[in-house]
């Protein structure tokens, strides 16, 4: 039986990634261990792992995840209040597939899309 999935995304700088996700998006560090070149963060029931890739070309990075939420308008507003830059083509919008969605890029251009079923 499958019980969870924890995506792994590339990061160039652990401190920058940690600060963005914790200070801007409200995540917290998962566990006590601090592994070199690896980072585990969580928010509510979602956990994201990051691996160090110092040579990452952010403009050819296709890392992306889709995160479901049941409070998308509140989450969107919280991110706006925290001055999180929403993707220019990813503002909160109802999609034809009946998902209310928005997207943003993290410091390494990993695309995070948040969605809620309508």
């Amino acid at each position: 039986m499958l019980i969870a999935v924890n995506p792994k995304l590339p990061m160039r700088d652990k401190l920058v990634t940690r600060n963005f996700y914790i200070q801007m998006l409200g995540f917290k560090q998962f566990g006590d261990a601090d592994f070199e070149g690896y980072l585990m963060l969580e928010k509510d029931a979602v956990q994201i792992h990051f691996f160090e890739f110092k040579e990452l070309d952010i403009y050819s990075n296709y890392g992306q995840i889709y995160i479901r939420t049941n409070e998308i308008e509140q989450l969107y507003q919280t991110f706006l209040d925290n001055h999180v830059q929403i993707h220019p083509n990813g503002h909160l919008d109802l999609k034809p597939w009946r998902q209310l969605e928005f997207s943003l890029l993290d410091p390494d251009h990993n695309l995070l899309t948040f969605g809620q079923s309508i």
Side-chain angles (χ1 to χ4, degrees):
M1 172 193 319
L2 302 178
I3 60 168
V5 61
N6 300 320
K8 294 166 84 172
L9 298 174
M11 67 178 171
R12 293 171 295 159
D13 184 307
K14 186 175 178 177
L15 183 59
V16 169
T17 298
R18 179 188 289 132
N19 288 345
F20 175 80
Y21 279 84
I22 290 174
Q23 295 173 6
M24 303 296 284
L25 304 186
F27 279 72
K28 63 181 182 178
Q29 188 152 337
F30 176 76
D32 300 353
D34 187 12
F35 302 105
E36 184 177 339
Y38 202 81
L39 178 62
M40 296 180 289
L41 300 172
E42 67 180 344
K43 180 178 175 75
D44 303 323
V46 171
Q47 193 177 115
I48 306 173
H49 295 207
F50 299 87
F51 62 94
E52 187 174 70
F53 184 4
K54 289 184 183 279
E55 301 79 25
L56 176 68
D57 175 5
I58 62 171
Y59 299 108
S60 58
N61 179 16
Y62 293 101
Q64 52 186 299
I65 57 175
Y66 192 97
I67 301 171
R68 295 197 182 275
T69 179
N70 58 5
E71 299 177 334
I72 196 158
E73 291 173 351
Q74 179 182 350
L75 183 65
Y76 185 72
Q77 188 60 52
T78 298
F79 289 172
L80 291 176
D81 292 346
N82 288 345
H83 305 287
V84 174
Q85 188 171 359
I86 303 302
H87 191 285
N89 298 320
H91 290 278
L92 188 61
D93 189 30
L94 180 60
K95 302 298 183 184
W97 46 91
R98 307 217 18 93
Q99 290 286 115
L100 195 54
E101 295 180 353
F102 72 92
S103 300
L104 59 95
L105 294 170
D106 76 2
D108 296 300
H109 280 214
N110 293 301
L111 180 67
L112 309 179
T113 301
F114 297 86
Q116 180 175 340
S117 296
I118 301 298

